[in-house]
Amino acid sequence: MRRLLTSRQQLEFNIEDRQSRLNASKVAYVITIFYMPAGSLLDYIIYRDLFWDFLLIRLLESFLLAIILPLLFLNIGRKFVKIWPLFLGLITSAVISWMIYKTEGANSVYYGGLNLVILVMSVLIPWSLWETMILWLGTLFLYTVACLAHSQIINIEVSFFIFLTGLACVISTYLASKARLKDFLLRQQLNERNDELQRLDQQKTQFFSNISHELRTPLTLILSPIQDLLHKSEKLPDQVHKTLLLAMQNSLRLLKLINDLLEVTRLEQAEFKADFKRIEAGGMVKSLAHSIRHLAIAKEIKLQIEGAKEPLWILGDLSLLEKVFLNLFTNAIKFTKEGGVIYVRCRKDGEQVFFEVEDTGIGIPEKELPNIFDRFHQVDGSSTRKYQGVGIGLSLVRDLVHKHGGKIEVKSEEGKGTCFQICLKGAPAQTDEEAVTLSTQTSSIPKASQDPLLAAFKSADRFLVHHEESEALPEIGQGEFTLLVVDDEPDMRRFITSTVSEKYTIIQAADGVSGLELAKARRPHLILLDWMLPGMSGPEVCKKIKGDKETRGIKILMLTAKMDEESKIEGLNAGADDFLVKPFSTLELQSRVKNHLNTAALEADLRESNQELQQALDHLKATESQLIQSEKMNAMGNLSAGLLHEINNPLNFSLTALSFASQSLSSDDEMVREALDDIENGLGRVRDIVSDLRIFAYPDEKGSLEWVSMEEPIKSALRMLSHELNNVEFESQVCNDSIAYLCRQQITHVVINLISNSVKATKDTAAKRKPQIYLKVEKVEDEYLRLSVKDNGCGVSQETLKKVFNPFFTTREVGEGLGIGLSLCHTLVKNHKGTIDMRSKEGEWTEVIVTLPINPAEGKDDSRNRLLQSI
């Protein structure tokens, strides 16, 4: 890895390595000087008879090291920095080896001291691989010599243990040396990056400083002519006067931002020096507060100034302190609602002077308080924030206060208000003459005779944009097309509306939420939508408008200062039709608006044509379906009429013959009579089917209408279906006054069909539960009778429910039904001007509900009365 180092880096690494060795050697020498004599306690416990001899040798080593230690602080110590730690390690190993020789040789317990020397020196000293090997092998040699000199016996286990300890230290030293070199390279890279960042930061600071200076001059030259024109406002048209005011206000706003930015860059420059003078701070603060009182009055905020009775002298830079307090005053006004109060207090406590700016505004969330003075930090940094700013005001205030050797603190409770407190060191009092002079210096509003540049700068510092609350804004202009302008900047709204209000009707909104509500309520032809809005950002509003089928056709022109591709993609994904990048010209705005409105009109015509075509197509499909159904019904009607003619005669003949046969039977022929009854029931079923076919073939035949109690057709149906209801739990509930003007025979057919269908449905689930059928007749508002038949059978699917009343549709197997029962019921109920509907839950139940009118106009009240009397 050393090969990666340049010659300069190698030199720097060697210097750093030598210094690290020297520092570590000093520590190692100090530790050994104190801890070597301390080992005598072990000598006293284990080898008490050799205690004084060992103490002497320990003290001699400590004395020798104490002589060498001062050399480490001299040039000779730096020159031989690699020698001193090796000498320390080997001399200590030699002393411990002599003690091993004097005690038990290979069996001495002092061999642990040698391991300790190798471990401690390898960890403490930033050695190279070879230096560690020298200490390791030297220590092993000294131990071997001591053992041989004592008894010519070597303890293989102890020697192997020392060998392993040294090997581990050699490996760890090698890895540590590589890590030190790698760490050095990383620090070198980091230092280079830091140097580069500092250079870039200096360039950035210089750039901002230069550009701020360059911008201030043309801005001032813009403001001066505008002010001159405004002084002649009586000669200007009203619209021109409003435009000039708009230009002046926004020029002042831009100049204030440039002033703050320039002040920040000045503070970062090393050569920046404040012009400290003795200032009477109480008068200065009062004068500054009075200079911005007009801003508070414009917002209907009360400004209370509570000054100290005695003069408050401080040492400070007047221009810097003006920026501090003006920032705090304008912030308090910005974040305090109408009717609020701002308190400005000055007081002296000992040698310190305190200033407080307290408001009853919106407050600051507790979690934001630790970061409130960070540069570019904003309490609400989202695209939906209500109050504009770049986040350098309070950071600048903190830096300027620190420049004066003071401190600033903030206390706040969300929804109740905020209090900033500044503490500055007081200065000795001045003479009255000096105080008058300083009071003149703190004059807040520049006069016309003053330098115009200075006047513009001071006016900018006292400028504040008032943000209107989200409330109904006036509708402006008249025109065929309606435009919705959604922007939280009042000046931008005024500029847009004044540009396009001559041709179009303009409605306005100051935030995203009210803009979305207006878009849904008024359905404008075009929306001019700002990107950053309070409450809901422009892209969010755009996404909601385009996601609603009622408003998706509205054209949206997004107003934004963001020119990057990512922002454009985000806006297009949200559904924006076009972008208008700020700043834009009046001509461009008018052209874009006109083009989008023309496009919107063409698209509206196209949608209207498509709707007309779709309606015509739907009408044609419905007509075609009706024609096909009509042809089918005509064909089935003709077929049914022919069958009726062919079947009725033999059917009537058979029924007549059965009647004569039954009359001629004696009372003893029960089996024959039962057989004839079965035949008669079968022929009766055929007769019912023929009757159903007749009604189906001639649906317009209403039959004979009369006043009928619903109990009669229900009883008739139950008599005819008695054999089918044998195993069914049947329950009926009929209201007392269930009389309606209807055809008895047809309603009987309806009831029979409904009950018969329910019986069939319950057979499929008879194995699971006992079949149940519930029939109910009730009155509805004295105008209708409601007949419902509900069963606990197999039910039908939702898809089948759509087809149940179609002719010849059946869910039964072939031979189990013709599929005309429910269609017939539908026809009969329709003939009575009633309705029929089916509800069902597949696998559980089905209910058919029939609604019949009670007293149509052709009904006869006297018949109904007689029927009621009979009931």
Side-chain angles (χ1 to χ4, degrees):
M1 186 175 288
R2 283 178 177 270
R3 296 176 182 176
L4 300 176
L5 298 176
T6 63
S7 57
R8 182 181 63 83
Q9 289 176 332
Q10 183 66 58
L11 179 61
E12 292 177 355
F13 178 75
N14 291 338
I15 294 173
E16 183 179 305
D17 184 64
R18 291 171 66 85
Q19 187 62 42
S20 299
R21 287 170 178 266
L22 188 61
N23 294 335
S25 298
K26 293 174 183 177
V27 175
Y29 269 76
V30 172
I31 290 175
T32 306
I33 288 171
F34 285 98
Y35 278 87
M36 197 64 184
S40 299
L41 180 62
L42 182 65
D43 302 336
Y44 183 80
I45 296 172
I46 301 176
Y47 302 107
R48 187 172 299 181
D49 54 336
L50 297 172
F51 172 74
W52 293 108
D53 294 339
F54 286 178
L55 178 61
L56 178 62
I57 194 66
R58 289 176 183 275
L59 291 174
L60 285 174
E61 182 188 359
S62 295
F63 178 73
L64 178 61
L65 297 179
I67 294 174
I68 296 174
L69 180 61
L71 299 178
L72 299 181
F73 294 90
L74 304 175
N75 289 333
I76 190 174
R78 296 185 180 89
K79 186 176 181 180
F80 299 103
V81 68
K82 292 186 177 182
I83 301 298
W84 304 122
L86 271 176
F87 174 78
L88 174 63
L90 291 175
I91 193 65
T92 305
S93 296
V95 170
I96 296 174
S97 297
W98 179 81
M99 295 168 70
I100 291 173
Y101 163 74
K102 293 295 290 181
T103 53
E104 301 178 52
N107 296 320
S108 176
V109 297
Y110 283 116
Y111 75 89
L114 298 176
N115 286 323
L116 188 62
V117 170
I118 297 172
L119 284 170
V120 171
M121 295 299 292
S122 299
V123 171
L124 193 59
I125 308 297
W127 266 340
S128 66
L129 172 67
W130 298 108
E131 290 167 327
T132 307
M133 290 184 67
I134 291 172
L135 176 63
W136 168 40
L137 296 177
T139 301
L140 189 61
F141 172 75
L142 290 172
Y143 172 72
T144 303
V145 170
C147 291
L148 292 174
H150 181 271
S151 58
Q152 298 183 352
I153 297 175
I154 297 175
N155 191 327
I156 301 299
E157 295 178 356
V158 173
S159 298
F160 186 67
F161 184 65
I162 296 175
F163 176 81
L164 289 180
T165 301
L167 182 61
C169 290
V170 167
I171 294 172
S172 64
T173 300
Y174 172 72
L175 296 176
S177 63
K178 289 187 68 175
R180 288 198 306 274
L181 186 57
K182 185 176 181 180
D183 178 67
F184 171 78
L185 288 173
L186 290 174
R187 283 188 284 108
Q188 284 285 314
Q189 293 176 6
L190 183 61
N191 291 334
E192 290 174 1
R193 297 285 177 85
N194 286 336
D195 293 340
E196 180 68 16
L197 285 174
Q198 288 178 1
R199 185 179 65 81
L200 291 175
D201 188 61
Q202 289 175 355
Q203 291 179 354
K204 176 212 68 174
T205 301
Q206 188 62 40
F207 168 76
F208 278 127
S209 179
N210 293 340
I211 198 69
S212 298
H213 278 292
E214 291 299 321
L215 288 173
R216 278 161 57 115
T217 300
L219 266 175
T220 306
L221 296 177
I222 292 171
L223 279 167
S224 294
I226 291 176
Q227 288 175 339
D228 291 341
L229 288 172
L230 287 174
H231 289 155
K232 305 172 184 177
S233 58
E234 67 278 357
K235 300 180 182 179
L236 296 174
D238 186 58
Q239 186 60 39
V240 174
H241 183 261
K242 289 181 179 178
T243 304
L244 288 174
L245 279 176
L246 185 65
M248 187 189 74
Q249 290 172 359
N250 285 276
S251 297
L252 287 172
R253 179 181 175 187
L254 182 57
L255 186 57
K256 183 180 187 304
L257 292 175
I258 293 172
N259 287 346
D260 288 345
L261 186 60
L262 181 60
E263 204 64 51
V264 169
T265 56
R266 285 179 59 205
L267 287 173
E268 292 180 347
Q269 294 175 354
E271 63 272 12
F272 171 78
K273 291 182 180 179
D275 184 17
F276 288 105
K277 295 180 180 179
R278 298 182 185 275
I279 302 171
E280 201 285 294
M284 177 197 67
V285 172
K286 290 179 183 179
S287 180
L288 291 175
H290 283 299
S291 73
I292 53 91
R293 187 180 291 274
H294 64 286
L295 299 177
I297 293 173
K299 204 174 176 183
E300 298 181 8
I301 296 173
K302 189 176 181 181
L303 183 62
Q304 290 190 2
I305 304 172
E306 302 173 5
K309 295 180 180 180
E310 73 277 10
L312 303 176
W313 294 98
I314 61 171
L315 192 65
D317 186 309
L318 183 62
S319 62
L320 299 184
L321 289 175
E322 276 192 359
K323 284 198 169 290
V324 169
F325 289 102
L326 287 175
N327 259 298
L328 294 180
F329 293 158
T330 54
N331 272 355
I333 295 173
K334 182 193 298 185
F335 296 105
T336 302
K337 296 181 179 181
E338 293 181 1
V341 183
I342 297 175
Y343 301 94
V344 180
R345 305 185 184 97
C346 309
R347 61 183 175 88
K348 186 175 182 181
D349 187 358
E351 295 184 356
Q352 292 180 324
V353 179
F354 293 89
F355 308 92
E356 288 183 357
V357 180
E358 183 179 359
D359 62 65
T360 58
I362 62 175
I364 304 170
E366 185 177 356
K367 64 178 182 180
E368 299 288 348
L369 288 176
N371 307 315
I372 197 67
F373 294 109
D374 292 349
R375 187 168 297 174
F376 307 119
H377 175 79
Q378 294 168 320
V379 173
D380 181 8
S382 68
S383 60
T384 60
R385 60 193 177 97
K386 179 178 180 180
Y387 299 98
Q388 302 296 325
V390 294
I392 62 175
L394 288 178
S395 171
L396 180 61
V397 167
R398 178 200 58 188
D399 294 343
L400 292 177
V401 170
H402 288 174
K403 281 287 183 183
H404 286 77
K407 61 180 180 178
I408 182 170
E409 296 178 349
V410 59
K411 298 178 182 178
S412 183
E413 188 173 351
E414 192 171 4
K416 293 188 177 180
T418 304
C419 179
F420 287 92
Q421 185 184 78
I422 296 175
C423 175
L424 297 176
K425 187 177 180 181
Q430 300 296 294
T431 64
D432 295 340
E433 182 179 351
E434 289 172 325
V436 172
T437 304
L438 291 172
S439 178
T440 304
Q441 288 179 343
T442 60
S443 178
S444 55
I445 302 297
K447 298 179 181 178
S449 60
Q450 290 179 316
D451 181 6
L453 288 175
L454 179 61
F457 297 157
K458 288 185 175 292
S459 298
D461 284 337
R462 290 159 176 80
F463 175 76
L464 180 64
V465 177
H466 291 298
H467 288 269
E468 302 170 9
E469 298 295 329
S470 298
E471 56 184 15
L473 297 171
E475 184 175 319
I476 302 173
Q478 292 181 349
E480 179 184 357
F481 295 100
T482 301
L483 273 62
L484 170 60
V485 179
V486 187
D487 200 306
D488 60 327
E489 292 276 359
D491 291 341
M492 180 59 70
R493 287 201 308 273
R494 281 192 287 270
F495 169 69
I496 294 174
T497 53
S498 65
T499 303
V500 297
S501 60
E502 293 181 2
K503 298 180 180 179
Y504 313 110
T505 300
I506 311 298
I507 54 178
Q508 307 175 66
D511 61 82
V513 176
S514 58
L516 179 61
E517 293 174 353
L518 269 177
K520 291 181 177 180
R522 297 293 299 271
R523 308 284 177 83
H525 298 89
L526 174 66
I527 300 177
L528 297 171
L529 182 64
D530 189 29
W531 186 285
M532 299 180 68
L533 291 169
M536 185 184 297
S537 68
E540 291 176 346
V541 175
C542 185
K543 188 178 295 184
K544 289 184 179 295
I545 290 174
K546 293 297 185 178
D548 189 340
K549 64 179 181 180
E550 299 294 333
T551 57
R552 66 180 55 169
I554 300 175
K555 293 290 182 181
I556 297 179
L557 180 57
M558 190 79 75
L559 307 178
T560 176
K562 297 185 176 184
M563 302 178 64
D564 58 287
E565 186 175 355
E566 184 178 352
S567 297
K568 291 183 178 180
I569 292 174
E570 181 184 352
L572 291 173
N573 289 336
D577 296 284
D578 197 3
F579 291 91
L580 193 57
V581 180
K582 301 176 183 177
F584 49 82
S585 66
T586 303
L587 182 60
E588 182 183 12
L589 174 63
Q590 292 173 340
S591 300
R592 295 278 186 106
V593 168
K594 181 179 178 181
N595 291 338
H596 282 293
L597 288 176
N598 290 338
T599 304
L602 291 174
E603 290 180 356
D605 292 341
L606 182 60
R607 282 196 298 271
E608 186 176 351
S609 299
N610 286 338
Q611 289 175 357
E612 291 176 356
L613 288 174
Q614 186 63 43
Q615 290 174 358
L617 181 61
D618 293 341
H619 182 68
L620 286 173
K621 288 182 178 179
T623 304
E624 181 184 13
S625 177
Q626 290 175 358
L627 288 173
I628 293 172
Q629 184 69 12
S630 178
E631 290 298 322
K632 288 181 179 179
M633 298 299 291
N634 288 336
M636 293 305 301
N638 293 333
L639 176 62
S640 299
L643 287 173
L644 290 175
H645 180 73
E646 295 298 328
I647 293 174
N648 262 336
N649 288 335
L651 181 62
N652 290 331
F653 176 77
S654 298
L655 288 171
T656 303
L658 281 174
S659 179
F660 282 118
S662 297
Q663 292 175 5
S664 62
L665 287 176
S666 63
S667 59
D668 297 333
D669 297 331
E670 289 296 329
M671 292 182 62
V672 177
R673 185 177 296 278
E674 290 180 2
L676 290 177
D677 289 340
D678 291 339
I679 294 171
E680 186 176 5
N681 288 335
L683 290 175
R685 181 63 179 156
V686 173
R687 181 187 59 198
D688 292 340
I689 292 174
V690 170
S691 177
D692 289 345
L693 285 173
R694 176 184 294 277
I695 297 171
F696 178 75
Y698 306 104
D700 294 333
E701 293 183 3
K702 295 185 179 180
S704 176
L705 297 178
E706 58 182 324
W707 286 103
V708 177
S709 172
M710 285 298 295
E711 291 183 351
E712 297 178 16
I714 292 172
K715 289 179 180 178
S716 299
L718 293 177
R719 283 197 301 270
M720 297 180 68
L721 297 172
S722 58
H723 60 289
E724 296 182 29
L725 294 171
N726 284 337
N727 298 320
V728 178
E729 183 180 320
F730 182 85
E731 182 180 348
S732 64
Q733 180 181 349
V734 182
C735 64
N736 293 331
D737 188 9
S738 60
I739 301 173
Y741 197 66
L742 44 80
C743 177
R744 186 193 310 270
Q745 181 184 3
Q746 291 183 1
I747 297 304
T748 303
H749 271 289
V750 170
V751 176
I752 290 172
N753 266 301
L754 297 183
I755 296 177
S756 179
N757 281 346
S758 292
V759 171
K760 293 174 183 177
T762 57
K763 286 182 179 179
D764 295 339
T765 58
K768 299 180 181 179
R769 53 183 176 265
K770 186 175 181 179
Q772 294 178 340
I773 299 175
Y774 179 63
L775 182 147
K776 183 178 181 181
V777 178
E778 57 184 338
K779 251 185 173 183
V780 180
E781 299 178 352
D782 291 333
E783 294 183 7
Y784 299 93
L785 288 181
R786 179 185 292 155
L787 166 67
S788 63
V789 179
K790 185 174 182 180
D791 63 68
N792 64 343
C794 58
V796 295
S797 66
Q798 295 300 313
E799 188 64 28
T800 303
L801 281 176
K802 302 175 183 178
K803 308 174 185 178
V804 291
F805 296 111
N806 292 344
F808 307 107
F809 174 80
T810 180
T811 59
R812 298 289 168 182
E813 299 293 335
V814 177
E816 294 186 7
L818 295 176
I820 64 172
L822 286 175
S823 175
L824 175 62
C825 291
H826 182 272
T827 302
L828 295 177
V829 172
K830 185 179 178 182
N831 286 343
H832 285 79
K833 299 180 181 180
T835 61
I836 183 170
D837 189 26
M838 178 182 287
R839 302 184 304 160
S840 182
K841 186 173 183 180
E842 191 172 7
E844 296 188 15
W845 56 270
T846 301
E847 182 179 20
V848 180
I849 301 173
V850 176
T851 304
L852 297 169
I854 293 177
N855 186 23
E858 59 267 23
K860 299 178 181 179
D861 293 338
D862 53 348
S863 302
R864 181 176 184 274
N865 292 335
R866 286 195 299 271
L867 186 58
L868 284 172
Q869 290 174 1
S870 64
I871 294 175

